[in-house]
Amino acid sequence: MTEENHFLRQALELAYANVEKGGRPFGAVVVKDGAVVATGVNEILSTNDPTAHAELSALRAASRKLGTADLAGCAVYASGHPCPMCLAAMRLAGIGAVTYAYSNDQGAPFGLSTAALYAELARPFADQAMTIRHSPVRLAARPDLYAAWKTRAGG
């Protein structure tokens, strides 16, 4: 069995166990240097948190375990096609690779595809269903927020 299949099987076992507990069918594994750093399952139904996806739970656990938000050198193995939120979080964390077992096409008959969301997000802001606008409000008595952060961060 390949290393990829080994870790995908772990993600799938997590997803099956989550289904048995009444959760959604998603599991994820974060791997670094050939070893599992952290795992996660979809906890949307148990927490009422729409961001409690398996991949995000695994990223949070990996960051805590490694003591850093920089997960460069890590890979994610997921039971299903990561949604745009999870994929964006992986990119922001520096994840170098993601592999998944079930595609959006395979999830679609079960209401588990995020293909429509990917398509929506590819449209210009003005053409999306959600209103998205920039309003450059500033606090007159305060320095520029980003400049203040940069100064405080030492840069």
Side-chain angles (χ1 to χ4, degrees):
M1 175 183 333
T2 67
E3 185 174 270
E4 179 177 283
N5 284 348
H6 173 73
F7 294 126
L8 282 174
R9 289 176 187 275
Q10 286 187 37
L12 287 167
E13 286 295 347
L14 289 166
Y16 275 106
N18 203 44
V19 167
E20 290 167 7
K21 293 178 185 173
R24 293 170 55 92
F26 299 105
V29 177
V30 177
V31 174
K32 184 170 187 169
D33 299 327
V36 173
V37 174
T39 64
V41 296
N42 185 293
E43 297 176 315
I44 290 175
L45 298 177
S46 63
T47 64
N48 294 316
D49 177 354
T51 70
H53 290 203
E55 297 91 339
L56 290 185
S57 295
L59 291 179
R60 289 177 185 128
S63 291
R64 283 191 301 270
K65 183 171 183 179
L66 296 174
T68 180
D70 181 1
L71 299 180
C74 293
V76 172
Y77 295 87
S79 58
H81 189 287
C83 76
M85 174 182 65
C86 291
L87 196 59
M90 286 184 240
R91 286 182 179 255
L92 288 169
I95 296 293
V98 60
T99 307
Y100 55 92
Y102 280 81
S103 70
N104 269 329
D105 287 343
Q106 293 165 318
F110 306 96
L112 299 173
S113 173
T114 56
L117 183 53
Y118 272 102
E120 172 78 3
L121 291 173
R123 299 167 65 187
F125 283 171
D127 296 337
Q128 292 187 27
M130 176 192 289
T131 301
I132 304 169
R133 68 177 171 268
H134 173 237
S135 180
V137 172
R138 301 294 185 267
L139 301 178
R142 305 281 276 173
D144 181 77
L145 178 62
Y146 291 175
W149 170 80
K150 187 70 170 173
T151 300
R152 177 112 174 137

